Amino acid sequence: MKTLAFFLTGFLLLVVFQTAIAQEAASSGLRMIHQQTGKTKFIPENKRVTLTHYRGFKSSGKLEVVSKEEVIVHGRRFKVDELSKVRRNFIGAKIVGAILFVGGQTVIQVEKSVSSGMFDRDIEELQEPQISAAGFIIMGASLPFLLYAPNYKQDKWVYEAIPSQSGI
């Protein structure tokens, strides 16, 4: 009976919170619409991005939406219709990639230090340090995390700023 009451209470809480979240106002941010497929991508406000102006000016930082025409990144104002490239920066992916890379290097160093002083008793000579592929595989697994950052170029995407609805 207690488990039934527990599941029923959990279900009711889920329904209440789900409807509260669904009624939340649309968040502000930058929406990109693919010109050929119509697929949309959304970058919420206060996420890390790199914006490039059509003249070549770049700025990286947290995204702030001022109006439908302007956004601010790291104190620099950009007009939405003058953007040439938007790049989303995932700080978590960079951290995971760095951890994997250092972990792979650590595995290689441990294997080298463990096998460097080994003595072969049959031929009475020191052996060369032996390294398995595990460290290199771990380091290789870090590359997609370090190199991945989605780019949305102006020749394929249309940009649209969505300001906060609270002021309206």
Side-chain angles (χ1 to χ4, degrees), residues 19-92:
T19 56
I21 291 170
Q23 293 174 356
E24 191 175 287
S27 60
S28 60
L30 188 64
R31 182 178 6 185
M32 284 86 52
I33 304 166
H34 197 273
Q35 292 178 356
Q36 294 174 347
T37 63
K39 182 179 178 181
T40 62
K41 297 284 184 175
F42 183 74
I43 300 175
E45 201 169 25
N46 295 322
K47 295 294 180 180
R48 294 186 50 81
V49 295
T50 300
L51 298 182
T52 306
H53 193 267
Y54 74 91
R55 290 184 181 167
F57 303 120
K58 257 187 196 179
S59 188
S60 295
K62 291 189 176 183
L63 177 70
E64 297 176 39
V65 178
V66 178
S67 66
K68 285 188 174 187
E69 293 84 24
E70 287 186 333
V71 294
I72 297 177
V73 172
H74 200 271
R76 179 176 267 177
R77 287 184 180 262
F78 288 93
K79 290 195 175 197
V80 176
D81 55 350
E82 295 178 352
L83 291 175
S84 67
K85 184 168 69 170
V86 176
R87 181 176 173 169
R88 176 76 168 92
N89 300 335
F90 292 108
I91 193 75

